[in-house]
Amino acid sequence: EEQRASKRPGEPRHFHAVLPPELWIHLAVVACGNRLEETLVMLKSAVLFSHRKIQFHIFTEDSLQSEFDKQLRQWPDSYTKKFEHRIYPITFSVGNSQEWKKLFKPCAAQRLFLPVILKDVDSLLYVDTDVLFLRPVDDIWKLLRQFNSTQLAAMAPEHEIPKIGWYSRFARHPFYGSAGVNSGVMLMNLTRIRSTQFKNSMGPTGLAWEDMLYPLYQKYKNAITWGDQDLLNIIFYFNPECLYVFPCQWNYRPDHCMYGSNCKEAEREGVSVLHGNRGVYHDDKQPTFRALYEAIRDFPFQDNLFQSMYYPLQLKFLETVHTLCGRIPQVFLKQIEKTMKRAYERHVIVHVGPNYMH
């Protein structure tokens, strides 16, 4: 069914309205604490560039629910018609809720329970709140088609160079591959996750996803530093055939440039998904990351993307050339530029149409 959704040139604008719900993109995020603004900027980046309609699944604590709803309803019509949103409370279905809540950041462990909670969703893209899309979400969604028959989730490596990677140097538990994987951007075939028996270190028999989470946590909780991400690394260490590994341009973090550029795909293709972990959107340590965050946050919805986002970004980037990440501005701008050109060409061709000479 994925194939049917490819947009043909000159298709009418109401394409979104007629798209059957099973062809929607499903995007989930878990937002607690002071992550409201950051999450809204992430959702904005998803809507700005996407073509297909998106269903947002927002998991958040009670105090933020009405604020999310209110803010999303204030976006202009031309954007709100590109998505629908559902807001969920934070819930953990197995084990002790308080323990899960305290694992790493507030409520981060919620993501482990998405296959169980979103029973009617077939596939899902989960992202951390500090992620920004620099090209259509449709493009990462298409990677689902590349899964072979045993793969049920996709993540990017935690590091490109094992000798400076965190897991390879410090982890006290099993992890995937030579450098571990980063779970900030995770593509999931939930149908497969729900129907698979996972190999594990608790015994000779496979366990269903939900039955495995709490015993696994109990076994490794004293060795875990990064919470739910560590648990995912342990799961895929025992089930490597279940993981599709996508290149670093789909989960590009300060680690990929702060020690010198070490993400070859991003140098070639540009950054597709930016992940500003370590709080870099909000401090002065990585001005390139902050510049992108602020450009998307402050972009007035109805404005021209080139004038109100791309050109200001280029200027901002000139101020960051003294940093290691700022030395490679083209890496950050390449996809945005491509995306804007595509949107602009389509806009002109589709809207102006063949009679614009008269």
Side-chain angles (χ1 to χ4, degrees):
E1 80 251 336
E2 281 290 332
Q3 274 68 11
R4 285 211 313 264
S6 56
K7 190 172 188 316
R8 287 176 293 284
E11 243 177 32
R13 271 319 261 161
H14 60 266
F15 166 73
H16 289 297
V18 297
L19 196 60
E22 68 269 17
L23 289 188
W24 289 23
I25 290 168
H26 288 264
L27 181 64
V29 65
V30 178
C32 289
N34 56 355
R35 301 286 181 140
L36 176 80
E37 178 193 271
E38 199 172 78
T39 307
L40 287 164
V41 178
M42 180 277 288
L43 297 171
K44 181 178 182 181
S45 74
V47 172
L48 273 179
F49 302 130
S50 69
H51 306 307
R52 276 159 76 170
K53 203 156 173 172
I54 308 178
Q55 175 76 57
F56 292 148
H57 301 274
I58 302 165
F59 290 80
T60 190
E61 50 203 343
D62 304 345
S63 57
L64 292 179
Q65 292 185 3
S66 60
E67 197 53 34
F68 266 114
D69 195 53
K70 188 179 114 195
Q71 299 256 8
L72 287 168
R73 289 177 193 283
Q74 285 170 358
W75 289 3
D77 283 353
S78 54
Y79 288 92
T80 52
K81 67 165 186 269
K82 288 175 73 176
F83 72 90
E84 284 184 10
H85 66 280
R86 289 186 198 155
I87 297 174
Y88 306 78
I90 303 294
T91 50
F92 303 102
S93 54
V94 291
N96 173 330
S97 258
Q98 287 320 107
E99 274 186 281
W100 285 119
K101 273 207 175 92
K102 290 203 289 275
L103 184 63
F104 195 41
K105 293 194 182 117
C107 77
Q110 179 69 74
R111 161 249 307 270
L112 297 169
F113 293 88
L114 298 179
V116 188
I117 299 170
L118 301 175
K119 284 186 170 47
D120 57 340
V121 178
D122 172 63
S123 293
L124 184 71
L125 174 61
Y126 163 88
V127 293
D128 285 348
T129 57
D130 51 11
V131 158
L132 292 169
F133 295 96
L134 305 188
R135 71 191 269 185
V137 185
D138 314 51
D139 296 342
I140 189 168
W141 190 253
K142 282 183 195 134
L143 297 176
L144 282 164
R145 287 184 218 164
Q146 296 185 17
F147 285 17
N148 68 21
S149 60
T150 57
Q151 289 165 338
L152 46 76
M155 288 184 268
E158 170 66 23
H159 223 287
E160 294 303 296
I161 306 168
K163 66 171 184 284
I164 54 173
W166 196 89
Y167 284 103
S168 31
R169 290 186 297 163
F170 304 118
R172 309 201 318 274
H173 58 77
F175 55 88
Y176 177 88
S178 61
V181 278
N182 181 283
S183 57
V185 180
M186 184 175 178
L187 201 50
M188 293 182 262
N189 182 325
L190 298 182
T191 305
R192 283 187 182 178
I193 290 176
R194 287 186 285 259
S195 64
T196 299
Q197 296 287 309
F198 291 86
K199 297 190 287 295
N200 60 79
S201 55
M202 272 86 66
T205 50
L207 286 173
W209 182 265
E210 187 180 16
D211 300 333
M212 175 178 56
L213 292 176
Y214 196 61
L216 205 62
Y217 164 70
Q218 287 295 357
K219 176 162 184 176
Y220 291 103
K221 63 181 177 188
N222 297 325
I224 283 174
T225 307
W226 306 112
D228 49 318
Q229 175 170 295
D230 291 348
L231 283 174
L232 290 164
N233 266 288
I234 295 165
I235 290 169
F236 290 110
Y237 168 83
F238 290 108
N239 301 271
E241 71 289 348
C242 294
L243 189 65
Y244 175 94
V245 179
F246 51 63
C248 43
Q249 56 143 330
W250 297 104
N251 182 350
Y252 190 91
R253 285 159 281 129
D255 295 3
H256 289 120
C257 51
M258 61 196 270
Y259 313 110
S261 180
N262 63 40
C263 175
K264 295 286 169 279
E265 271 85 3
E267 288 175 40
R268 224 177 20 249
E269 303 265 320
V271 173
S272 296
V273 180
L274 192 75
H275 182 185
N277 61 349
R278 308 165 182 250
V280 293
Y281 296 147
H282 315 291
D283 63 26
D284 299 322
K285 291 195 180 77
Q286 299 297 339
T288 39
F289 281 76
R290 187 170 175 169
L292 272 158
Y293 175 78
E294 290 176 352
I296 293 172
R297 180 192 66 191
D298 301 340
F299 172 69
F301 274 107
Q302 308 294 53
D303 280 21
N304 175 295
L305 278 166
F306 276 105
Q307 278 161 0
S308 305
M309 190 185 296
Y310 188 67
Y311 298 134
L313 256 178
Q314 284 183 312
L315 288 173
K316 266 189 174 168
F317 272 17
L318 289 176
E319 299 161 21
T320 71
V321 289
H322 61 285
T323 67
L324 273 170
C325 293
R327 281 185 200 173
I328 45 171
Q330 70 290 354
V331 170
F332 293 93
L333 293 171
K334 200 178 261 184
Q335 280 299 339
I336 290 197
E337 189 176 1
K338 248 191 202 159
T339 300
M340 289 182 191
K341 281 193 173 133
R342 263 166 45 194
Y344 182 72
E345 282 159 10
R346 214 172 61 225
H347 185 85
V348 171
I349 295 160
V350 175
H351 294 280
V352 178
N355 334 326
Y356 81 112
M357 295 307 283
H358 316 151

